[in-house]
């Protein structure tokens, strides 16, 4: 039987320039250097390093095959065993294996050495030119040792299909080499009280066998609403003895892009998504399972159903969680705009194969991206990538992300980055303008917004609000367009980049959330589109402070909410109920609410019904234009005329409007917002000017961590400065420090400054069990939280029954 042994603890790490005795003990995932949050030097991670480890090889391994499986090593890797080469690999985003079978000395300790070149080498993707993200460095994903019999199942490919006779599940068992002897292959699929078995005779010389299970209509279909998962198992038996077993997880999922949209299990479904970079502050992609999985939960909470792994294959833990949550994925090969020489292209074709072989069985993946992001047409190259993808996977289509219109379409889906929206009426061009084709083809918008309107969480309020509205506009446009399968906005999280991109501190502030995964107004707007049963949302996109608006005033107030209506009180007096503002967002499931006035209901305006309707319509128009209380020049004579027509003093309506819009020098405003669903107030928020700093708050994504996993565990602690109404103080940028008792420690610096009134720390376990008391201090202010580190704790967010993918569900030989 095979053995799967994690090799993530106790590596000796050193730079090539260090003396061999200067190494430090590290655990994987590991970043080769801890970087600053911003103003970093991208050259700091670009160096050659060594990772070394001793490996005891028992004598009983003799006659078996032994592999070292790397899930991700950045970027060019050479592996040595006892000083002899065991293999090499170009590229940091796809897995690879080094076979140790003939290099080990059994019954002895052996020396493993990994030489890792983390420079941005021009001979394989994504480098060769500048790249709008950082490649970082290190053994930043896990490493596993695999010990197998000479005859073993290298990988399982589970293919749900629809045939003329009905739905089937095909399970292909691919062997590590042609079988040396006859054997029996037992294949099983199981889950949700279903179990199907097949027994196949495997002959010597066979390199693969297929089992086909018909009547798969009876299985539960995987979907965002019901992400049902099954397990497939293949066992090799010889003379009544089990010699090898391979398992994987899959979903009964049928997906297809057609010219009229995307279809999942035969039903049309609009795709609304975000792009994700896997990078985190300080350590790039070097985060363990729990943190990678948490990103999928965060994205699901943002109200989307699709994520694009821009611009490279990402952690299997992230994809596992997408499987469990029903979050669909477009996964693409590494690269950004540049196409290199023939050897470079050969490496890219290899990445297509490594990506698909690793992730074939993830039901969340609905589209393979087989084109270098935003690259020019290159017919011969992209015929190769498409051909290889279709050879490996006949169940999914391909896309190729471009940013120029009327490109050559070699893929199945025209995937396009559309950045035309600048706040005006045009959001996306027509399909014919984009594709240049009269005949309809499947079209998916893969980026929008982003670098066209970079927004920091501490920007001017008007910019933060416009950022949110732009994201709502592109969602609304996609939902209303029959010629689009959907859209994937750029992007989920801010990220570090090279100096020739992004802002002056080498951060691309393109995310709806910041790099610490804390949402900006745009993130709150995205969250408001989720169904109320997934969590009610009531978020005013304003601080309700006159100094935040050009010219003063606090109107209009946009409220991101999935409630049916919002009841508004001003300084304790009822203003009224405000419904979602559907006119500019006719297709959104939950348009934002626009609070256009703050006139208490007990104000009795002596206006006839017709004039009252005219006045209300005027207020709504000016509120949507964002000019209240500073009216347009032509508004003053209009309001004077309206006052006179109503028999009021000439300036009565102008004064009333100015006072109730929160003009300069009026009473402090505090608004109480109540969100109603099903006739009940489900959320209440208070926000306003009568506030001051109150306290620091710290919240953990997870309060129970695991001490005995295959490597260290980690979680995020979000720190916020809150005012007396319980809201964020975005201009409270004091320094904060993290203090622990030694059970956990910070990943990155333990002392930082708040960014926009908040920040996050990630903390990791240190091999000890017990209660970790964590304090966050800022001057005299202290917040405290307790974390439990114990053996046997689940890898939260909790995995579905049966766990996720194997660490080497497939591996290259």
């Amino acid at each position: 039987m095979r053995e799967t042994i994690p090799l993530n603890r106790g590596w000796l790490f050193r730079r090539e320039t260090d003396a061999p005795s200067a190494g430090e003990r590290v655990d994987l995932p590991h970043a080769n250097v801890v970087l600053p949050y911003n103003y970093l030097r991208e050259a700091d991670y670009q160096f050659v390093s060594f990772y070394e480890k001793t490996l005891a090889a028992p004598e009983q391994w003799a006659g078996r095959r032994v592999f070292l499986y790397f899930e991700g090593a950045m970027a060019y890797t050479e592996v040595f065993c006892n000083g002899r080469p065991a293999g090499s690999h170009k590229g940091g985003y796809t897995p690879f294996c080094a076979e140790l079978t003939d290099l080990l000395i059994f019954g002895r300790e052996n020396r493993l050495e990994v030489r890792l070149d983390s420079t941005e080498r021009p001979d394989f993707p994504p480098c060769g030119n500048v790249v709008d993200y950082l490649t970082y460095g290190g053994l930043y994903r896990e490493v596993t040792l695999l010990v197998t019999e000479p005859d073993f199942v290298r990988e399982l490919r589970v293919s749900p299909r629809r045939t003329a006779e009905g739905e089937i599940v095909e399970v292909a068992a691919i062997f590590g080499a042609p079988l040396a002897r006859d054997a029996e292959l037992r294949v099983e699929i199981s889950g949700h009280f279903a179990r199907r078995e097949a027994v196949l005779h495997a002959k010597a010389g066979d390199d693969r066998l297929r089992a086909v299970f018909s009547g798969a209509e009876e299985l539960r279909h995987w979907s965002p609403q019901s992400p049902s998962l099954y397990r497939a198992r293949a066992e090799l038996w010889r003379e009544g003895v089990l010699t090898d077993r391979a398992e994987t997880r899959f979903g009964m999922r049928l997906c297809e892009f057609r010219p009229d949209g995307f279809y999942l299990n035969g039903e049309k479904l609009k795709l609304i998504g975000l792009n994700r970079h896997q990078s985190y502050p300080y350590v790039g992609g070097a985060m363990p399972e729990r943190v990678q999985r948490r990103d999928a939960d965060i994205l699901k909470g943002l109200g989307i159903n699709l994520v694009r792994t821009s611009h490279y294959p990402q952690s299997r833990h992230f994809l596992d969680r997408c499987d469990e949550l029903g979050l669909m994925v477009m996964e693409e090969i590494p690269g950004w705009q540049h196409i290199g020489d023939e050897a470079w292209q050969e490496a890219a074709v290899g990445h297509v194969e490594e990506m698909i072989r690793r992730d074939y069985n993830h039901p969340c993946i609905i589209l393979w991206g087989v084109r270098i992001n935003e690259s020019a047409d290159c017919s011969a190259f992209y015929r190769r990538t498409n051909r290889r993808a279709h050879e490996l996977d006949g169940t999914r289509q391909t896309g190729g992300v471009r940013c120029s219109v009327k490109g050559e379409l070699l893929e199945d889906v025209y995937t396009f980055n559309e950045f035309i929206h600048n706040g005006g009426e045009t959001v996306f061009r027509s399909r014919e303008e984009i594709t240049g084709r009269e005949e309809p083809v499947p079209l998916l918008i893969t980026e929008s917004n982003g670098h066209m309107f970079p927004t920091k969480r501490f920007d001017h309020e008007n910019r933060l609000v416009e950022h949110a509205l732009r994201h709502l506009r592109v969602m609304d446009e996609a939902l209303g367009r029959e010629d689009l399968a959907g859209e994937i906005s750029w992007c989920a999280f801010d990220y570090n980049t090279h100096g020739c991109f992004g802002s002056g501190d080498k951060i691309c502030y393109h995310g709806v959330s910041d790099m610490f995964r804390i949402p900006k107004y745009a993130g709150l707007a995205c969250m408001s589109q989720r169904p109320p049963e997934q969590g009610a949302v009531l978020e005013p996109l304003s601080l309700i402070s006159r100094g935040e608006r050009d010219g003063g005033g606090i109107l209009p107030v946009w409220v991101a909410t999935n409630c049916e209506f919002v009841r508004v009180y001003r300084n304790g007096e009822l203003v009224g109920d405000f419904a979602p503002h559907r006119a500019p967002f006719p297709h959104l499931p939950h348009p934002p609410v626009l609070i256009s006035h703050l006139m208490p209901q007990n104000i009795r305006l002596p206006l006839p019904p017709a004039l009252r309707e005219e006045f209300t319509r005027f207020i709504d128009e000016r509120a949507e234009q964002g000019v209240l209380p500073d009216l347009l020049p032509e508004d003053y004579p209009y309001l004077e005329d309206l006052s006179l027509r109503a028999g009021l003093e000439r300036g009565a309506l102008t004064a009333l409007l100015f006072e109730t819009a929160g003009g300069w020098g009026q009473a402090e405003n505090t608004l109480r917002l109540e969100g109603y669903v099903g006739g009940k107030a489900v959320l209440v928020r208070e926000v306003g000017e009568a506030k001051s700093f109150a306290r620091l708050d710290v919240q953990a994504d997870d309060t129970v961590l695991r001490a005995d996993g295959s490597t260290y565990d980690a979680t995020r602690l979000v720190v916020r400065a809150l005012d007396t109404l319980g809201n964020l103080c975005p201009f409270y940028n004091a320094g904060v420090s993290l203090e622990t008792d030694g059970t956990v420690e910070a990943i990155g610096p333990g002392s930082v400054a708040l960014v926009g009134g908040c920040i996050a720390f990630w903390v990791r376990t240190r091999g000890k069990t017990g209660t970790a008391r964590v304090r966050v201090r800022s001057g005299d202010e202290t917040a405290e939280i307790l974390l439990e580190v114990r053996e046997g704790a689940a890898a939260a967010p909790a995995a579905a029954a049966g766990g996720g993918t194997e660490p080497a569900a497939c591996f290259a030989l």
Side-chain angles (χ1 to χ4, degrees), residues 64-273:
R64 305 174 76 187
R65 297 183 71 177
V66 183
F67 304 92
L68 199 57
Y69 177 78
F70 294 83
E71 298 195 35
M74 191 64 72
Y76 176 66
T77 312
E78 297 174 282
V79 184
F80 301 87
C81 180
N82 296 322
R84 299 164 63 190
S88 63
H89 183 260
K90 290 182 176 181
Y93 297 105
T94 51
F96 63 96
C97 260
E99 184 162 5
L100 308 180
T101 304
D102 297 330
L103 305 176
L104 290 170
I105 303 172
F106 299 104
R108 299 261 309 272
E109 284 197 337
N110 298 262
R111 184 167 63 90
L112 301 179
E113 185 178 61
V114 178
R115 182 182 185 273
L116 196 58
D117 184 350
S118 298
T119 61
E120 295 183 355
R121 292 172 50 132
D123 54 330
F124 56 87
C127 299
N129 199 2
V130 291
V131 181
D132 179 26
Y133 53 92
L134 299 185
T135 52
Y136 302 106
L139 285 180
Y140 76 105
R141 292 180 185 164
E142 293 88 344
V143 173
T144 303
L145 191 74
L146 296 148
V147 185
T148 73
E149 301 302 322
D151 286 343
F152 69 100
V153 178
R154 186 184 75 195
E155 60 183 286
L156 289 179
R157 294 185 194 167
V158 185
S159 305
R161 301 180 190 272
R162 182 180 288 116
T163 69
E165 291 74 31
E167 295 180 7
I168 65 170
V169 175
E170 177 186 283
V171 181
I174 302 170
F175 305 127
L179 295 181
R181 293 187 294 158
D182 290 359
E184 183 180 82
L185 183 71
R186 301 178 186 177
V187 181
E188 174 187 286
I189 59 174
S190 61
H192 302 290
F193 307 104
R195 188 168 179 266
R196 310 274 186 90
E197 293 181 289
V199 180
L200 307 174
H201 179 62
K203 298 179 180 179
D206 284 344
D207 63 357
R208 68 188 63 202
L209 286 177
R210 291 181 174 84
V212 178
F213 300 92
S214 60
E217 298 91 343
E218 300 173 6
L219 302 181
R220 298 181 185 179
H221 284 79
W222 184 96
S223 69
Q225 295 74 33
S226 179
S228 301
L229 295 170
Y230 292 83
R231 293 206 71 82
R233 173 186 296 175
E235 296 179 342
L236 270 178
W237 290 76
R238 187 174 283 122
E239 299 175 354
V241 177
L242 176 63
T243 61
D244 191 51
R245 175 188 292 138
E247 296 187 18
T248 190
R249 199 169 63 172
F250 74 98
M252 186 61 203
R253 189 267 297 115
L254 305 167
C255 56
E256 182 183 8
F257 286 84
R258 304 175 190 170
D260 67 331
F262 172 73
Y263 287 79
L264 183 66
N265 303 320
E267 296 184 4
K268 192 172 182 179
L269 175 64
K270 189 67 78 170
L271 300 172
I272 299 295

Side-chain angles (χ1 to χ4, degrees), residues 255-264 269 271 306 329-330 366-368 396-398 412-415 441-444 485-486:
C255 56
E256 182 183 8
F257 286 84
R258 304 175 190 170
D260 67 331
F262 172 73
Y263 287 79
L264 183 66
L269 175 64
L271 300 172
L306 174 66
V329 174
M330 174 187 176
I366 61 171
L367 188 65
W368 298 119
R396 294 180 181 89
Q397 294 159 295
T398 61
D412 303 306
V413 182
Y414 201 104
T415 44
V441 297
L443 174 61
L444 175 67

Side-chain angles (χ1 to χ4, degrees), residues 26 120 185 213 292 332 392-393 418 436 526 580 619 685 725 751 772:
V26 301
E120 295 183 355
L185 183 71
F213 300 92
Q292 298 285 353
E332 64 180 345
L392 289 166
D393 188 355
E418 170 68 295
C526 292
I619 291 173
R685 290 291 304 277
L725 298 176
S751 296

Side-chain angles (χ1 to χ4, degrees), residues 486-507:
E487 69 88 21
I488 313 172
S489 292
W490 187 262
C491 60
F493 313 124
D494 295 344
Y495 57 97
N496 290 124
T497 191
H498 291 83
C500 46
F501 302 98
S503 295
D505 59 353
K506 298 183 182 178
I507 294 177

Side-chain angles (χ1 to χ4, degrees), residues 758-788:
C758 54
I759 202 75
F761 295 92
W762 279 268
V763 295
R764 56 159 289 180
T765 56
R766 301 183 66 234
K768 303 177 181 179
T769 59
T771 300
R773 186 178 300 274
V774 181
R775 292 187 180 91
V776 178
R777 293 188 185 275
S778 177
D780 295 332
E781 300 293 330
T782 302
E784 185 174 282
I785 193 168
L786 298 180
L787 306 177
E788 289 293 327

